[in-house]
Amino acid sequence: MRGVVFDGKQVQVVDDLEVREPGPGEVLVAVAAAGLCHSDLSVVDGTIPFPVPVVLGHEGAGVVEAVGVGVTHVAPGDHVALSTLANCGACADCDRGRPTMCRKAIGRPQQPFTRGGRNVHQFACNSAFAERTVVKAVQAVRIPKDIPLTSAALIGCGVLTGVGAVLNRARVDRGDTVLVIGTGGIGLNVIQGARIAGALRIVAVDANPAKEEVARQFGATDFLTATDAVKDLLPYGVDHAFECVGRVELVRQAIDLLDRHGQAVLLGMPAATAEASFVVASMFLDKSVLGCRYGSSRPQHDIALYAELYRQGRLLLDELVTATYPVEDFEKARADAEAGRVARGVLTFQRAGADGRAPVGPGDSPGAVRKVRR
């Protein structure tokens, strides 16, 4: 089968990848679509250290093909969005409703794939850049079949992270003021999360002025190309500042722009050894700096919630998908992502109806640029 493999030096789209059958508590998913997230590219450039060879991808959706012993919440034929959170469900953190803190969900790469007789690692317990992948049952979340799989693919990372950071971690309230630094895939989801939460003022900052239209579409009330002008709009600062780029100087700016009792939420991924600084005295007015893993999400709950918000027209998914690419065009998708030409590019695996697999999604055409719903 086809898949996108990084061997430590180069990325290749291969066609000789194999995946094992699901074991107890596991699900085999035929992947229909997978978003290209900057975390995948961070593995390639070394920002995120990861063992190789590895099948990339961690933001996907598809159709259940087989289930292992003990799996009852999904069945073959179900449409699912994939989470990266392979939490155990039995530890103290899982029991407290904090699955993102489960130690069995972090830094334990599996090897369900083989290529040429050699084991291949799985990225983020997921590896959605493969025609089929095996995940823990808890990672497969059933979604309604009327949601296009190209759109549903984005729920499992970008939406969970961005919207979840607003609703679960920062707990933005009605009437709050919000600053979002960076309007890529994560930033746009922070913006719409703030809109859903009822924020009064949502200031989006991005160095690329061409991103203003889409930022406002997702809910930004103001758009700036630099943080310098934030105090012109909100002289006392903001209640919540989200850094979505991963640059330490922007972390500092997010902290400096907080109002009393404000909080800065760090979502961007800098280098593993990067350090940021701030004026300690500036924090004494009950300000906070918050880390946030995966939107502090509970995927089985949150993915179902976001799917329903999408069906009600309150959460935008189709609009996130700037373009779709057949998996063979990974390099073009990568170039577009690195150049900032897309909010999210989605890789697709075309399915033929005769073999019982699902198509990519209603109205979806691999390789086509999506028409944005207005």
Side-chain angles (χ1 to χ4, degrees):
M1 67 177 185
R2 292 169 295 168
V4 180
V5 177
F6 176 56
D7 64 6
K9 296 181 180 179
Q10 63 178 343
V11 181
Q12 290 182 292
V13 180
V14 303
D15 60 7
D16 58 349
L17 199 62
E18 296 182 2
V19 66
R20 61 171 173 78
E21 292 298 313
E26 294 181 333
V27 178
L28 175 66
V29 177
V31 179
L36 177 55
C37 174
H38 279 279
S39 293
D40 298 302
L41 302 180
S42 292
V43 173
V44 177
D45 67 22
T47 301
I48 298 178
F50 207 86
V52 294
V54 57
V55 179
L56 297 174
H58 64 286
E59 184 181 71
V63 181
V64 175
E65 208 163 80
V67 300
V69 174
V71 178
T72 59
H73 74 291
V74 293
D78 284 345
H79 286 203
V80 292
L82 298 178
S83 158
T84 70
L85 202 60
N87 58 295
C88 72
C91 68
D93 283 308
C94 286
D95 193 50
R96 294 187 185 108
R98 303 188 308 201
T100 56
M101 296 296 101
C102 174
R103 284 172 170 78
K104 292 187 178 180
I106 303 173
R108 294 173 180 263
Q110 304 299 310
Q111 294 179 305
F113 302 101
T114 57
R115 183 180 180 222
R118 182 185 178 188
N119 289 333
V120 180
H121 290 283
Q122 185 175 40
F123 179 53
C125 303
N126 188 308
S127 288
F129 292 169
E131 288 191 77
R132 293 179 183 84
T133 190
V134 170
V135 297
K136 289 184 65 173
V138 72
Q139 296 177 253
V141 184
R142 187 170 59 222
I143 57 173
K145 291 185 178 180
D146 59 358
I147 300 180
L149 290 172
T150 45
S151 298
L154 304 187
I155 301 177
C157 179
V159 176
L160 277 181
T161 299
V163 178
V166 174
L167 302 183
N168 300 329
R169 187 66 168 126
R171 298 186 181 275
V172 172
D173 202 358
R174 295 182 300 277
D176 285 354
T177 55
V178 173
L179 169 65
V180 183
I181 302 176
T183 61
I186 299 300
L188 290 176
N189 279 298
V190 171
I191 290 170
Q192 71 171 334
R195 169 178 52 79
I196 291 168
L200 181 64
R201 201 82 177 263
I202 305 170
V203 181
V205 176
D206 198 292
N208 183 355
K211 293 187 176 183
E212 178 174 2
E213 181 181 0
V214 68
R216 290 186 180 276
Q217 180 185 17
F218 274 72
T221 60
D222 303 271
F223 183 90
L224 303 170
T225 55
T227 59
D228 299 346
V230 172
K231 286 288 184 76
D232 294 334
L233 298 175
L234 297 164
Y236 294 114
V238 298
D239 298 312
H240 312 273
F242 295 83
E243 200 284 332
C244 305
V245 180
R247 289 170 47 188
V248 294
E249 66 271 24
L250 296 179
V251 170
R252 172 61 182 267
Q253 291 171 26
I255 294 171
D256 288 346
L257 288 167
L258 294 177
D259 195 358
R260 298 182 177 190
H261 200 68
Q263 52 188 15
V265 183
L266 310 186
L267 297 177
M269 180 63 70
T273 57
E275 297 182 1
S277 64
F278 57 89
V279 178
V280 176
S282 71
M283 305 300 291
F284 291 155
L285 292 173
D286 284 1
K287 299 180 185 181
S288 305
V289 180
L290 304 179
C292 183
R293 171 174 163 75
Y294 203 41
S296 301
S297 61
R298 297 164 295 163
Q300 287 289 336
H301 171 274
D302 291 353
I303 288 176
L305 170 63
Y306 299 156
E308 186 55 34
L309 289 174
Y310 165 81
R311 297 175 84 197
Q312 293 179 12
R314 297 167 63 190
L315 184 136
L316 307 182
L317 291 179
D318 301 340
E319 294 81 356
L320 284 169
V321 184
T322 311
T324 59
Y325 311 81
V327 67
E328 289 80 7
D329 286 349
F330 172 81
E331 285 301 329
K332 176 171 172 45
R334 175 183 175 182
D336 286 348
E338 290 178 336
R341 289 189 285 266
V342 294
R344 218 31 150 224
V346 175
L347 301 178
T348 60
F349 295 90
Q350 183 73 332
R351 303 293 185 188
D355 65 3
R357 302 175 196 157
V360 168
D364 291 329
S365 174
V369 174
R370 305 259 321 161
K371 292 185 178 179
V372 174
R373 186 177 61 200
R374 300 292 182 188

